[in-house]
Each structure stands twice: as structure tokens, then as C-alpha cells.
Amino acid sequence: PALWGAVVGCPAQVSAPLVIMRAMPHRWKPNVTVAAIIERDGCFLLVEEETSDGLRLNNPAGHLDQGESPIDGCTREALEETAHDFVPTAVVGVYMNRFVKTRTGDDVTYLRFAFAGTLGAHHAERALDTGIVRTLWMSADEIRACPERHRSPLLLRCIDDYLAGQRFALTLLHTDISVTERHGVAGR
């Protein structure tokens, strides 16, 4: 066995031989999503979308794309699903939810980053993302009154956390440049 601790100040210890483990062939990974919690005058901007279970309500949300930060992903998803500009200003929370698809039986776990922010210009000429039927403004009480129409329990949980004043600085999240750079050269 090799001796460890040749560095001054480290106690000498005997270590076990290094064992190289093979990569796990079927490593579990959650689906990472981002959501915009958009409030104006006591109402929240939601989307009504087609799902395999029929029309459902959700926060403007979607999957994080390769090469983007959660903040940038949220800005993109809000625009694609609502035709509104959106600038995240705070993290409302990070959530996990497990869902079994009724048609396929697929067991899916979502990891959601939810953001509060500033609603910007509406681009009326812009088509909404595939599957989005319409946008609508609803009060928290109206949302609470129709849980059977929620795409996910996270819809209401994010709104309740927002209403409770839960906010974290965007600096809580760090996206290394290695995520956003292409072909090893930043800014391309």
C-alpha cells in the first residue's frame, strides 16, 4: 500500500489501492425545467396547454436547453409560451416533482427552478409555443379553486411561495462558462 501524507502537515496514512469504477449505464437524471412566476395586480400569468391528459394550466415553464443558464432558459420559455418579454429578478425556489405519465406509464422526475421577475413588452404578432392554447390571468384563489386543471402541483406551490415573499438573489445560481461556450471558445 502507498503512503499518503507526503505533504507537510498531513498525517501519514495507508490508503487502499485505487479502484476505477465503470460508468453507470443507466444513471438516473431529473428533467430540469424553469418557470416564470409572473404577477400583476394580484393575478398570475398562466398558460393553458394541451397535454396527454387534456387541457391543463401551468406557469410559463419548460425544459432547460443545452448551453443555457437557468436564468436565460426562463427568459426564453416565458417569451415562447406567453409572447411577453420577461426578466428574472429573483429565485422563488427550487423544486422536485415526480410524475407518472398516464399514457405511457413513464416515471419522470422534474427539477424546477422558479423565478420571479419583471414582465416586459407583449409581442402580439408572435405565435405561442406548440401546445400552448392561450395565456390567461388568474388570481391565486381562482387557481386554488381548480386543482384538477393544474399540470403539476408545482403550479400552486410556486405561487404560494411567491405570495409568502420567498425570494433569493439570482447570485444563488452560478452557471460556469463551460456550459454556455461553444467548441471551447466563449461567445461563439
Side-chain angles (χ1 to χ4, degrees):
L3 287 179
W4 178 80
V7 176
V8 176
C10 293
Q13 296 181 4
V14 176
S15 64
L18 180 63
V19 176
I20 306 293
M21 296 179 66
R22 292 183 182 196
M24 296 170 55
H26 301 289
R27 180 174 291 187
W28 172 84
K29 295 177 184 174
N31 288 276
V32 179
T33 62
V34 290
I37 312 306
I38 304 170
E39 184 264 339
R40 183 176 67 195
D41 300 326
C43 289
F44 293 88
L45 181 58
L46 301 182
V47 297
E48 186 173 46
E49 57 189 330
E50 296 172 353
T51 73
S52 59
D53 294 322
L55 290 177
R56 294 291 183 260
L57 299 173
N58 200 5
N59 314 101
H63 292 267
L64 185 65
D65 284 348
Q66 183 176 3
E68 71 183 352
S69 71
I71 295 167
D72 291 341
C74 186
T75 298
R76 176 187 53 76
E77 284 291 345
L79 178 62
E80 290 176 356
E81 294 201 351
T82 70
H84 280 86
D85 292 329
F86 177 73
V87 178
T89 57
V91 177
V92 174
V94 180
Y95 307 86
M96 283 188 79
N97 179 45
R98 184 173 166 215
F99 177 75
V100 177
K101 293 183 178 181
T102 53
R103 275 189 320 141
T104 63
D106 291 344
D107 191 345
V108 182
T109 298
Y110 294 97
L111 177 65
R112 174 188 271 202
F113 293 83
F115 297 89
T118 304
L119 186 65
H122 180 246
H123 305 277
E125 74 288 350
R126 185 180 175 96
L128 301 180
D129 210 1
T130 302
I132 305 297
V133 175
R134 65 180 175 141
T135 61
L136 62 160
W137 291 92
M138 295 178 71
S139 70
D141 287 340
E142 290 170 327
I143 296 166
R144 282 188 195 96
C146 62
E148 72 285 353
R149 294 183 62 204
H150 298 182
R151 180 156 190 189
S152 157
L154 297 181
L155 163 67
L156 186 57
R157 176 60 191 260
C158 291
I159 288 173
D160 283 341
D161 287 349
Y162 173 89
L163 289 171
Q166 183 167 291
R167 308 283 193 287
F168 302 95
L170 292 176
T171 55
L172 177 72
L173 304 178
H174 171 75
T175 301
D176 187 75
I177 193 168
S178 64
V179 172
T180 57
E181 68 185 2
R182 295 183 185 183
H183 307 294
V185 179
R188 282 194 169 174

